Amino acid sequence: RTGGLGAALAEMAAGKPVTIAHAPGKGTELVFADRARRAEFVNISYASDVAPILMDRCVDCHQPGGIAPFHMTSYEVVKGFAPMIREAIRTRTMPPWHADPEVGEFRIDHSLTAEQTRTLVHWIEAGAPRGEGEDPLTKAAHVAPEWPLGEPDLVIDIPAYAIPASGVVEYQYPNPLTEGRWVRAATLTPGDRAGVHHILAGYIPGTPRSGPGSSSQWEASYGEYAVGGESFIVPEGLGIYLPAGGHMGFQMHYTPYGKDAVDTSKMGLYFYPKGETPERILHHYVIADSLIELPPNTEKHEEVAYVTFPKDANLHSVFLHTHYRGQAGRVELVHPDGRKEMLINLPRYDFNWQRTYDFKTPVAIPAGSKLVATYLYDNSTRNRANPDPNERVIWGDQSWEEMHYTSIYFQWADETVEKRADATPQLRASRVMGMLDDNLSGAVELAELRGRIRAAVEPRFAEFDADKNGALDGAELVKASGVVMRLAIPGGQPNVPPAPRAPASSAGR
């Protein structure tokens, strides 16, 4: 800070009037390579260059029946919204795809390539010329189907609900199947897109416990809908078994938006044909930290949770979820030798757009590896969406509270439908360690504990630390888990269903 600028900044910092209002700048002018070609941009073809990009990346949402606020049904509509489109793609607000392009490869990638972005921006800055040729948007215009994957084999009407009441409402609904079937896909369709924040669905065997069909009773999960989400498609050759009878449980998260509304959401299930059985089984698990604690007026607050895989597995998809204070998130694979592999990075998490990221190639997880989910939270005034930066925030279902929730779908490498080898109970055994062991050492030190967790454990830490080495290993942590989990949400780690039952036989399935 030298010269006029340095003096001006010093005066501002001291609360004094700035005596030097202007100062010449020094340095090299930025050179934009395409600026000299601006006159050429008028030749970009709307019909051949621009409309195909819009149809490939935008129209699925921007069509009648889609979730977007305007419909790209003609050149005239696009021309009218051109300045907004330019701003949205320059700031990467649209398309809503938040994965770091340098980390991982995913199926159904909705992001724009650098070349597509340049084409759209250059065309708009040239005045969005119409040019020659038919309008592909008008020619291809249609209404978004209710069921993107076609008519389901089974449709479940989720009980209607009046949205003004806030909160999470969990429903249970009798399962109408009279024989078990293998599920290959599912679509959760919100009845009121403005009011439905997310829907989770799972199977409850037998007679549910009294009260709502909470996910702690679920035996298997069949996809999840959140704003911007799509149908859940089981990878080829895999399936999720849905037994006959029992109940389906639905976790419904509603967000009031200023007017009365009644939601009538639906679930569509797609089965393997009768007599056809997948080769392998797709499993679901949630890496969650229900013990998070965000200090007030703090940005970039980090919370970590992990799960340890007891044997080889293949990871197919991840779904990262926090609430309004969520700032960024990532999932890493820590190999048994300590090597870290970044699987997905969301440097700008957006609560308003949430989706499942399906890996183009399943990620091999060696036995003994940790799958680590790390989230950054902004509980400061810099976060314009923050409900209250002065609040100490812990886990809660409401959007003004917070979550640390990572949903994964995977398969056990040695398991087939004919040879069951489900190790989910062993996977679940690492949940408390994964919530508390932030430095990934495999033991919990007192220094790792914060806030209410430390206040509860510290008085008895020496008692729990049987070998007096200053850290709680797995066996010692079991003794402390009763104290810890009383501070967590009811039932401990959320949305971690019990290990699924296998069908007695695959014959005829």
Side-chain angles (χ1 to χ4, degrees):
R1 296 180 179 180
T2 59
L5 177 58
L9 291 174
E11 289 172 336
M12 289 181 62
K16 299 177 181 179
V18 176
T19 55
I20 302 176
H22 302 279
K26 296 180 181 180
T28 303
E29 183 179 359
L30 291 175
V31 177
F32 296 95
D34 290 332
R35 181 169 288 170
R37 300 177 50 233
R38 181 170 291 177
E40 302 174 25
F41 299 156
V42 72
N43 298 319
I44 296 174
S45 169
Y46 164 75
S48 301
D49 301 323
V50 173
I53 297 174
L54 301 178
M55 293 172 68
D56 184 44
R57 290 291 188 261
C58 309
V59 169
D60 274 356
C61 293
H62 289 271
Q63 64 176 320
I67 65 174
F70 71 92
H71 306 141
M72 294 183 179
T73 52
S74 68
Y75 161 79
E76 288 74 20
V77 172
V78 174
K79 166 83 172 177
F81 283 99
M84 179 190 295
I85 294 172
R86 177 180 58 183
E87 178 184 358
I89 63 178
R90 272 180 163 171
T91 59
R92 296 186 179 179
T93 306
M94 290 285 147
W97 180 267
H98 301 101
D100 183 342
E102 301 299 319
V103 179
E105 291 187 83
F106 304 95
R107 294 191 295 112
I108 321 177
D109 185 338
H110 289 287
S111 62
L112 292 173
T113 66
E115 182 59 34
Q116 289 172 327
T117 300
R118 283 194 294 268
T119 296
L120 293 176
V121 170
H122 290 164
W123 176 72
I124 292 169
E125 291 189 341
R130 171 64 178 87
E132 302 296 327
E134 284 188 286
D135 185 348
L137 294 185
T138 300
K139 187 177 180 181
H142 64 276
V143 176
E146 180 182 15
W147 302 107
L149 303 181
E151 192 64 27
D153 297 312
L154 173 66
V155 175
I156 297 177
D157 294 312
I158 301 173
Y161 183 73
I163 290 178
S166 63
V168 173
V169 180
E170 297 170 296
Y171 293 108
Q172 56 191 43
Y173 189 87
N175 174 21
L177 286 183
T178 56
E179 61 175 324
R181 298 291 296 273
W182 286 97
V183 175
R184 61 179 179 83
T187 299
L188 289 158
T189 301
D192 188 297
R193 290 188 181 275
V196 176
H197 178 265
H198 76 246
I199 308 173
L200 306 179
Y203 173 72
I204 303 173
T207 302
R209 298 193 298 267
S210 60
S214 66
S215 53
S216 62
Q217 302 183 58
W218 296 0
E219 205 173 66
S221 294
Y222 304 90
E224 44 215 345
Y225 164 83
V227 181
E230 298 170 331
S231 296
F232 169 64
I233 301 176
V234 178
E236 186 176 356
L238 286 85
I240 305 175
Y241 191 67
L242 176 59
H247 288 70
M248 292 298 293
F250 296 98
Q251 184 192 80
M252 310 295 296
H253 185 164
Y254 292 117
T255 302
Y257 58 101
K259 67 177 184 179
D260 292 343
V262 176
D263 174 59
T264 53
S265 295
K266 299 179 180 180
M267 180 181 191
L269 289 167
Y270 301 82
F271 303 130
Y272 275 85
K274 289 186 177 181
E276 184 177 331
T277 302
E279 180 184 356
R280 296 183 176 274
I281 302 169
L282 189 68
H283 293 277
H284 176 255
Y285 193 77
V286 171
I287 305 169
D289 188 350
S290 53
L291 302 173
I292 58 172
E293 189 165 339
L294 281 57
N297 300 298
T298 303
E299 57 180 310
K300 296 184 179 178
H301 173 75
E302 183 177 280
E303 293 280 357
V304 180
Y306 68 79
V307 64
T308 302
F309 276 77
K311 62 178 184 175
D312 293 351
N314 294 309
L315 179 66
H316 288 273
S317 68
V318 292
F319 174 92
L320 289 79
H321 175 78
T322 68
H323 290 169
Y324 286 128
R325 296 171 176 87
Q327 186 177 24
R330 66 182 184 270
V331 176
E332 297 168 288
L333 179 62
V334 180
H335 291 258
D337 61 4
R339 178 172 57 90
K340 290 186 177 181
E341 179 184 355
M342 183 84 76
L343 303 184
I344 185 171
N345 180 37
L346 305 185
R348 293 194 308 166
Y349 175 83
D350 188 346
F351 177 70
N352 297 302
W353 292 101
Q354 305 187 41
R355 61 174 303 111
T356 296
Y357 292 88
D358 300 286
F359 295 103
K360 186 173 289 186
T361 302
V363 177
I365 303 180
S369 299
K370 294 180 175 66
L371 197 60
V372 184
T374 303
Y375 291 94
L376 292 179
Y377 300 85
D378 186 353
N379 191 23
S380 74
T381 55
R382 292 171 62 89
N383 178 1
R384 290 181 295 177
N386 193 345
D388 185 356
N390 298 313
E391 194 74 24
R392 180 183 65 90
V393 185
I394 61 174
W395 176 286
D397 291 329
Q398 303 297 339
S399 298
W400 60 82
E401 298 169 313
E402 263 308 334
M403 284 190 178
H404 183 296
Y405 175 104
T406 308
S407 169
I408 63 172
Y409 279 92
F410 68 97
Q411 67 181 95
W412 297 113
D414 65 346
E415 182 182 43
T416 66
V417 169
E418 299 298 332
K419 182 184 176 183
R420 304 308 169 99
D422 183 17
T424 303
Q426 297 95 303
L427 189 74
R428 192 180 302 114
S430 66
R431 62 176 184 167
V432 178
M433 180 67 75
M435 287 192 283
L436 298 177
D437 178 27
D438 289 351
N439 64 11
L440 314 184
S441 66
V444 178
E445 302 164 16
L446 186 60
E448 292 180 272
L449 305 180
R450 301 188 297 264
R452 71 197 194 283
I453 306 302
R454 178 160 184 155
V457 174
E458 186 169 14
R460 299 183 61 187
F461 190 86
E463 172 191 341
F464 298 138
D465 183 17
D467 58 11
K468 307 306 177 185
N469 68 347
L472 306 182
D473 60 24
E476 292 168 339
L477 189 58
V478 169
K479 299 177 182 178
S481 61
V483 175
V484 172
M485 297 314 292
R486 278 198 294 272
L487 298 173
I489 63 171
Q493 185 176 356
N495 297 313
V496 179
R501 291 178 302 150
S505 169
S506 61
R509 302 298 184 194

